[in-house]
Amino acid sequence: MEEVLKEIFQSIIDGDQKLTPQKVQEALDAGLEPGYILNEGMVAAMSEVGRLFEEGEYFVPEMLIAARAMQAGLAVLKPKMVEANIQSIGKVVAGTVKGDLHDIGKNLVCMMLEGAAFEIIDLGSDVPPEKFVEAVEKNGANIVAMSALLTTTMPNMKTTIEALKAAGLRGKVKVMVGGAPLTAKYAEEIGADGYAPDASRAVALAKDLVS
Ligand code: B1M
């Protein structure tokens, strides 16, 4: 692996918010592909942070500063991954469900969807069902994209789908879901229209849903 990728990996593990964006820029300047930098350097580092947390070596504060370093690096990658001035192929209301603060995966999905010419209304994290409903109504969205990283917050996806139904919107909007603990089977059980395991497959799914 390239030295600079190892440095990116380590700077995220260390939660170094200054070094991570510098090293990501250095990798781009060296001609490395954004997707390669993202997967091999950055996403791999977050998996390692998860492992350290599981093993009791890292606690919530370490996870949080690692996440901040990751976000700082993503800000450098974003312009390379998102092409500007493309005509919108659909409107997506996106958010991490109620009770869940994990937003890195959701941000990546939004970034990739934006790069694929979707218009994104990003509601952030810890989004209650009524906010999804309100945003779909207000923006005339084609897709609701929900993320969950905790087994305890996954059921809030179902609650949101039920709220969309109760508001009479379910026939007008497609629902896609994703996040590490999810499966295609779970997505089907809660009545979603599709599940994607990662950001690039989320783009393929969203295109399918609007076609
Ligand atoms: Co949390 N956390 N965390 N955490 N955290 C996990 C998720 C955990 C697996 C760690 C572990 O134990 N190994 C575990 C969950 C266990 C479970 O329920 N199964 C966990 C826990 C327990 C917790 C707390 C409860 C800890 C505590 O307080 N005791 C707490 C909960 C807070 C809350 O949300 N209410 C907590 C807090 C946090 C931080 C705030 C410190 C921080 C998040 C900061 C932030 O996001 N701004 C954090 C972090 C960083 C993690 C880990 C280490 C990394 C998550 C991440 O960003 N991954 C994580 C361990 C891990 O995942 N290995 C962990 C990188 C990201 C690119 O991947 O989000 O999976 P991911 O997204 C992917 C795919 O899933 C998919 O595409 C993305 C890109 O490929 N995808 C979609 C995601 N959304 C999608 C939507 C789609 C389609 C695809 O369509 C709509």
Side-chain angles (χ1 to χ4, degrees):
M1 192 199 281
E2 286 81 354
E3 193 55 35
V4 68
L5 283 187
K6 289 187 194 155
E7 289 169 339
I8 291 169
F9 181 92
Q10 194 55 47
S11 69
I12 292 176
I13 308 271
D14 296 340
D16 193 328
Q17 289 174 58
K18 274 194 180 159
L19 193 61
T20 304
Q22 275 171 26
K23 290 292 164 188
V24 171
Q25 187 59 56
E26 201 178 306
L28 287 171
D29 293 343
L32 297 185
E33 283 295 321
Y36 181 58
I37 300 170
L38 177 66
N39 290 316
E40 301 301 319
M42 302 170 77
V43 174
M46 291 313 290
S47 302
E48 176 62 6
V49 170
R51 193 190 65 78
L52 291 167
F53 178 73
E54 262 172 54
E55 293 192 351
E57 278 190 52
Y58 268 21
F59 298 95
V60 173
E62 285 90 350
M63 273 208 291
L64 193 58
I65 59 164
R68 288 194 184 134
M70 171 85 176
Q71 305 271 28
L74 282 177
V76 177
L77 272 192
K78 186 173 177 182
K80 300 284 168 197
M81 300 183 75
V82 178
E83 286 182 48
N85 302 321
I86 318 169
Q87 205 187 347
S88 167
I89 58 170
K91 277 189 196 175
V92 180
V93 164
T96 307
V97 294
K98 187 176 176 182
D100 201 322
L101 300 174
H102 297 86
D103 65 357
I104 295 176
K106 183 267 298 165
N107 291 347
L108 261 177
V109 169
C110 288
M111 210 187 269
M112 300 281 279
L113 287 173
E114 205 179 332
F118 283 92
E119 186 183 331
I120 309 297
I121 298 108
D122 185 354
L123 304 178
S125 57
D126 190 16
V127 182
E130 57 274 20
K131 269 209 161 181
F132 279 108
V133 169
E134 192 188 305
V136 170
E137 265 172 345
K138 188 173 157 210
N139 298 284
N142 309 94
I143 297 178
V144 170
M146 286 186 274
S147 181
L149 262 287
L150 298 171
T151 43
T152 49
T153 58
M154 284 162 58
N156 294 334
M157 293 180 153
K158 187 171 183 217
T159 315
T160 305
I161 292 174
E162 278 160 6
L164 288 167
K165 270 187 205 157
L169 294 168
R170 189 63 187 94
K172 298 180 190 157
V173 72
K174 300 283 184 189
V175 175
M176 58 186 274
V177 294
L182 267 86
T183 60
K185 187 168 173 281
Y186 185 78
E188 202 185 320
E189 277 167 20
I190 61 170
D193 297 299
Y195 155 81
D198 56 45
S200 55
R201 275 174 281 186
V203 170
L205 172 62
K207 283 182 175 169
D208 257 15
L209 292 177
V210 292
S211 69

